[in-house]
Amino acid sequence: MKDNPTVVWLEDVRIEDVPSVGGKGASLGEMISAEIPVPRGFAVTAQAFRRFLDETGIASQLFATLRVNVDDAKELEAVAASAKKLVLKTKMPQHMRSDIVSAYNELAKREGGEPLVAVRSSATAEDMPEASFAGQQETFLNVRGANDVVVAVQKCWASLYGARAIFYRVKQGFEHESVNISAVVQKMVNADRSGVMFTCNPTTGAPEAIIEGSWGLGEAIVSGSVSPDTYLIDRKTRQIKANVASKTIMVVKDQKTGATITKDVPADLQNKRVLSDAELYTILDLGELIEEHYDSPQDIEWAIEKGAVYIVQSRPVTTIRKRDAAKQTSTAGEPEKLLEGLGASPGQASGEVKIIRSVDELDRVLDGDILVTAMTSPDMVPAMQRAAAIVTDEGGLTSHAAIVSRELGVPAVVGTKEATKKLTDGMLITVDGERGLIFSGRLERAEAAAPAAGMVTVSAAKPITATEVKVNVSIAQATERAVATGADGVGLLRVEHMILGMGKHPHWYIEHNEKDAFINELEKGIRTVVAAFFPRPVWVRTMDAPTDEFRQMEGGEDEPIEPNPMLGWRGIRRDLREVDVFKMQLQTFKNLIDDGYTNIGIMLPLVQHQDEVQAAKEKIAEIGIDFEKVDVGIMIEIPASALIIEDLIAEGIDFVSFGTNDLTQYTLAVDRNNENVAALYNEQHPAVLKLIDYVIQCCNRAGVVTSICGQAGSNPKMAEKLVRMGISSISSNIDAVERVREAVARTEMRIILEASRDLTNED
Ligand code: PEP
Ligand code: MG
């Protein structure tokens, strides 16, 4: 490049020219050199801008004007207005003007006609070429004719002195004198479709491309005013997952005035896919070329005009959240508390809100997003795994959202009542799953308040406790985290989460002669857990899902509509009437026991009367399960079963486990999932404790093992009470195992200490 020219052609620009043409111009030049289809054009250099200030003699006046107290908004606005006016009003030296005019005329010759161009600002700091001033200076679209281009260039220059830009530089410690501006003049792509692409997953770095696309010019997506289609492409298999959004508005060029306007998307295009597979692959191929050229993952803007794909911009992926930060200017400053709910899974995370109103929309949840929904369901688990945090309108601490989030180690706040109304798609929020709070914007992690998301801590020296400390598992995906707790076994494996996660109702399998498929699928899930814990015991509980959850599954249409599903057809009472479904589960257990997994215990849910135990044991025997090889136990979830515990023991059971989630709701007449009565829900209510204590004493006398697998077993205070009552084991959530183990150890030592003191006193 010749020394200090006014104008340079983009094809002659390379990355080392950042000081002359800014990051944007240099990257366009690099892409052209790599034969990427970039709209052609030229850049008016940063040096040309400096020459303008010097040759016209306005530099000293300009920089003197800029000495302002930027915290005084009025003064800042006034200074910005007069500085901009000075730059705009000052006549551009003739030689510079004619260089720009000739360049435009040359572009017109190359492209044919008088092309519409975009004139984009690209600011650059002299001593810090990598400094980013993105979004602070202006861009002018659809400019036509040499004179208008000159005016637009001068407007770009003036935008260097906008109030926001001045404020930013002062706060970041940049001297105004050391920041220059280049203007990139580039043929306009009159896009009928446009969007962005990440060549790799920006959060995890996984080789999957994410392409967003919508109708019209790219402004709608970049500004966040439209929900675009989202396409995920696995770069290894080239498999595409398309999530087609409802696109209601688009930015286009007005045919008459040439101005860019926002208009409604025609009805027939609103729900139509923006990109075909072939177009996605073309865009992906270009992205891969750019990535290869720069040797780093890229964040790219693309546009399609009459079938031709153009790359409009590319920059390295730093993090996906850069775009969010730009969108979030309105909530900068003090974090605002937006919502409150129940802290259901500890940890704090920030991300973009994705409101999910139906399971068809789940693909919209990308890695690092915040999944916001009325209530989660088992088919949402993969999206819950991708989410940085989960927020629900409904539910309590034992709802699906709460249980699964804890197992996945994803922070969650449930029962906010109005998250899906108050939050909006694309909003950046911070979720504190410990305190149950939602804030606007991104909050730094408060060290004491919230542990890092997903953290499972195990002390260097795990205390040995006489009372076993186990862990609850509901989904096979949680197995690794569950094993990492060092727990003494699994005190509850909820098979209904696995079954509901299959997507098809157990009846569907029976009606379609696919019982084996059901058994195989369930066996796979259970095997993961029993194998990982072998030889430590895993108590697998037979199915216990209410009818309202089953109804949502394929084949679940015939589920009865019950006035109160919590008191209805669920648990062992249902399995004993739907013997086929019960037997499919028992067959699954038998297959695993036959494979040598003798660490399985079979646990019956919602037992109300000894007849149920007797009938269930008959079925277990009929299927050929040897009672020598397997323990059989029951859940104590109904006050009735606690009160008749001796009759239940007489039926021959090896263990009981307190389901305090249900025991509390049935003892206190408080719906466990109803946030309106959540304040009355107290697992340590004296009545609940009395029932538990009674059962423990009876079981201890009879040599029946006792345990707890309700949420209360994750509370160290409750653990202390249970140890004192003489419980055999406690099963907690993954995130609570360590603190419960400590509470158990401490309590056991205290009991010994107290006993020795009593002895001493007697002496
Ligand atoms: C309980 O009721 O405490 C329990 C563990 O069972 P679930 O939460 O699955 O009803
Ligand atoms: Mg229960």
Side-chain angles (χ1 to χ4, degrees):
M1 197 190 292
K2 89 175 196 259
D3 278 347
N4 293 338
T6 295
V7 165
V8 291
W9 287 93
L10 290 178
E11 58 260 36
D12 297 330
V13 162
R14 292 295 176 274
I15 204 71
E16 57 274 17
D17 297 318
V18 168
S20 294
V21 299
K24 203 179 282 177
S27 133
L28 292 169
E30 280 287 328
M31 284 196 284
I32 294 173
S33 77
E35 298 184 355
I36 305 294
V38 168
R40 295 308 160 101
F42 56 88
V44 179
T45 63
Q47 291 84 349
F49 166 70
R50 269 330 272 233
R51 264 202 312 277
F52 161 75
L53 296 186
D54 294 337
E55 289 180 20
T56 57
I58 62 168
S60 51
Q61 187 192 343
L62 177 71
F63 294 128
T65 315
L66 295 174
R67 276 181 216 113
V68 58
N69 170 13
V70 293
D71 292 318
D72 182 332
K74 263 205 183 130
E75 196 185 332
L76 177 63
E77 284 295 341
V79 162
S82 66
K84 276 163 73 174
K85 195 164 156 200
L86 181 63
V87 174
L88 276 177
K89 286 267 161 96
T90 304
K91 199 162 181 282
M92 195 186 286
Q94 189 53 41
H95 68 95
M96 294 173 80
R97 193 187 156 81
S98 60
D99 281 352
I100 297 172
V101 169
S102 332
Y104 179 80
N105 290 340
E106 173 63 23
L107 187 66
K109 230 194 298 170
R110 293 185 190 181
E111 298 288 337
E114 267 204 324
L116 282 170
V117 291
V119 183
R120 301 174 194 275
S121 303
S122 183
T124 148
E126 274 164 10
D127 45 354
M128 272 185 72
E130 72 282 6
S132 167
F133 303 98
Q136 292 169 15
Q137 288 77 38
E138 287 180 57
T139 285
F140 301 89
L141 301 178
N142 294 311
V143 180
R144 197 194 299 274
N147 283 337
D148 283 4
V149 169
V150 171
V151 171
V153 168
Q154 212 160 342
K155 280 189 189 162
C156 282
W157 291 350
S159 72
L160 193 55
Y161 304 105
R164 218 174 114 214
I166 297 173
F167 181 89
Y168 178 85
R169 287 195 295 270
V170 169
K171 292 290 176 188
Q172 295 296 316
F174 288 100
E175 296 287 337
H176 295 302
E177 287 87 337
S178 70
V179 179
N180 292 322
I181 187 163
S182 160
V184 176
V185 179
Q186 202 181 10
K187 184 179 172 290
M188 213 37 226
V189 180
N190 190 14
D192 34 68
R193 289 165 290 162
S194 51
V196 296
M197 156 167 57
F198 290 101
T199 57
C200 74
N201 184 307
T203 314
T204 62
E208 61 182 359
I210 299 168
I211 299 181
E212 291 180 348
S214 71
W215 304 110
L217 304 177
E219 276 66 24
I221 289 191
V222 176
S223 69
S225 56
V226 67
S227 297
D229 285 358
T230 306
Y231 307 91
L232 293 181
I233 311 179
D234 183 322
R235 284 177 53 184
K236 284 200 201 110
T237 61
R238 309 281 278 183
Q239 215 175 18
I240 296 174
K241 256 205 249 158
N243 177 50
V244 182
S246 179
K247 302 158 289 286
T248 47
I249 58 161
M250 63 201 284
V251 177
V252 293
K253 178 166 69 88
D254 187 283
Q255 296 299 342
K256 283 190 212 119
T257 63
T260 46
I261 53 164
T262 300
K263 67 170 207 177
D264 289 345
V265 174
D268 58 329
L269 292 184
Q270 287 190 359
N271 295 309
K272 199 173 157 193
R273 210 174 128 159
V274 167
L275 294 168
S276 67
D277 283 2
E279 287 167 333
L280 286 168
Y281 290 136
T282 306
I283 296 170
L284 175 62
D285 289 346
L286 290 172
E288 288 185 333
L289 267 177
I290 303 172
E291 184 182 280
E292 202 177 302
H293 182 80
Y294 286 118
D295 201 20
S296 81
Q298 297 290 303
D299 173 354
I300 290 168
E301 288 176 29
W302 58 266
I304 298 181
E305 180 182 3
K306 299 193 187 100
V309 178
Y310 294 93
I311 301 300
V312 190
Q313 204 174 113
S314 183
R315 50 189 164 247
V317 172
T318 41
T319 113
I320 196 167
R321 301 303 152 205
K322 256 196 153 164
R323 201 185 303 270
D324 302 335
K327 272 189 210 168
Q328 202 54 29
T329 46
S330 60
T331 59
E334 274 301 294
E336 187 196 344
K337 192 170 91 185
L338 299 175
L339 279 171
E340 234 172 278
L342 301 167
S345 174
Q348 181 179 300
S350 307
E352 187 174 312
V353 168
K354 290 282 168 71
I355 298 187
I356 299 303
R357 297 190 199 278
S358 95
V359 288
D360 314 336
E361 298 180 326
L362 286 172
D363 281 351
R364 289 182 48 231
V365 179
L366 305 180
D367 279 310
D369 284 340
I370 311 284
L371 192 166
V372 178
T373 188
M375 180 31 75
T376 59
S377 58
D379 35 12
M380 291 190 184
V381 171
M384 293 172 78
Q385 263 177 307
R386 292 197 294 274
I390 292 159
V391 180
T392 67
D393 289 347
E394 299 160 12
L397 291 179
T398 62
S399 59
H400 179 270
I403 291 169
V404 174
S405 310
R406 283 192 293 267
E407 291 198 3
L408 295 174
V410 178
V413 175
V414 301
T416 62
K417 294 190 181 143
E418 46 185 9
T420 57
K421 287 194 204 90
K422 254 194 146 169
L423 303 178
T424 49
D425 254 335
M427 222 172 167
L428 180 68
I429 60 166
T430 298
V431 177
D432 182 338
E434 186 86 6
R435 293 181 293 164
L437 301 176
I438 318 285
F439 297 94
S440 64
R442 177 185 301 282
L443 235 68
E444 288 311 313
R445 200 162 72 78
E447 292 302 330
M455 198 165 73
V456 175
T457 50
V458 182
S459 308
K462 186 181 112 179
I464 303 290
T465 55
T467 314
E468 287 173 322
V469 179
K470 299 183 180 177
V471 66
N472 297 337
V473 179
S474 302
I475 51 173
Q477 293 95 317
T479 308
E480 210 178 307
R481 295 186 72 238
V483 172
T485 62
D488 296 316
V490 173
L492 167 64
L493 176 62
R494 288 181 167 97
V495 298
E496 65 275 6
H497 283 247
M498 292 179 180
I499 294 171
L500 292 164
M502 292 181 199
K504 292 196 187 92
H505 196 290
H507 291 172
W508 184 96
Y509 289 93
I510 295 168
E511 278 154 25
H512 290 77
N513 275 332
E514 294 276 3
K515 281 189 189 174
D516 284 347
F518 176 93
I519 292 167
N520 286 342
E521 184 78 4
L522 183 59
E523 198 180 304
K524 234 192 308 166
I526 300 177
R527 184 186 295 269
T528 310
V529 184
V530 292
F533 275 89
F534 190 83
R536 289 172 280 177
V538 176
W539 292 349
V540 186
R541 188 178 70 180
T542 55
M543 205 170 69
D544 182 12
T547 45
D548 51 343
E549 288 184 18
F550 271 125
R551 198 172 312 113
Q552 295 166 18
M553 307 173 80
E554 186 177 341
E557 304 77 21
D558 294 336
E559 281 293 312
I561 299 191
E562 298 181 301
N564 191 337
M566 278 294 185
L567 298 176
W569 208 25
R570 53 175 285 210
I572 194 65
R573 59 183 71 166
R574 176 167 185 164
D575 268 356
L576 289 175
R577 271 174 56 200
E578 288 191 332
V579 177
D580 274 358
V581 179
F582 191 42
K583 280 194 170 162
M584 288 199 293
Q585 299 169 64
L586 297 179
Q587 186 61 52
T588 311
F589 305 160
K590 174 159 192 305
N591 293 351
L592 288 163
I593 296 165
D594 288 350
D595 280 352
Y597 292 114
T598 46
N599 54 331
I600 289 182
I602 301 176
M603 183 153 72
L604 309 174
L606 220 72
V607 169
Q608 186 232 32
H609 192 271
Q610 61 270 26
D611 289 353
E612 291 169 336
V613 180
Q614 190 190 25
K617 284 185 74 178
E618 272 168 28
K619 299 286 173 268
I620 295 170
E622 273 169 32
I623 217 91
I625 293 176
D626 180 354
F627 288 112
E628 291 297 312
K629 288 198 182 150
V630 69
D631 283 342
V632 176
I634 58 169
M635 297 277 294
I636 300 292
E637 294 167 290
I638 305 177
S641 63
L643 296 169
I644 60 158
I645 185 64
E646 291 182 303
D647 299 330
L648 294 164
I649 292 171
E651 247 354 289
I653 49 174
D654 299 302
F655 62 86
V656 304
S657 181
F658 297 104
T660 42
N661 305 339
D662 281 319
L663 187 61
T664 305
Q665 81 166 342
Y666 298 139
T667 306
L668 305 181
V670 173
D671 180 344
R672 61 191 261 190
N673 283 341
N674 183 340
E675 56 279 0
N676 295 321
V677 287
L680 288 174
Y681 188 87
N682 175 12
E683 298 137 317
Q684 296 183 51
H685 186 290
V688 179
L689 295 178
K690 211 165 169 181
L691 289 168
I692 293 175
D693 191 30
Y694 174 67
V695 172
I696 292 177
Q697 306 324 317
C698 292
C699 286
N700 283 351
R701 277 198 300 275
V704 170
V705 168
T706 53
S707 189
I708 178 172
C709 58
Q711 177 62 20
S714 296
N715 179 337
K717 288 231 167 65
M718 181 74 171
E720 180 177 343
K721 288 182 182 147
L722 293 166
V723 171
R724 286 185 180 279
M725 288 177 197
I727 201 163
S728 326
S729 74
I730 293 180
S731 192
S732 312
N733 304 328
I734 292 174
D735 59 278
V737 169
E738 194 193 16
R739 55 175 193 270
V740 167
R741 189 188 284 130
E742 275 174 14
V744 168
R746 192 175 295 251
T747 309
E748 290 176 347
M749 282 197 262
R750 248 191 226 134
I751 293 171
I752 298 169
L753 196 64
E754 286 161 5
S756 77
R757 281 196 190 127
D758 287 349
L759 283 177
T760 321
N761 290 344
E762 277 169 25
D763 289 347

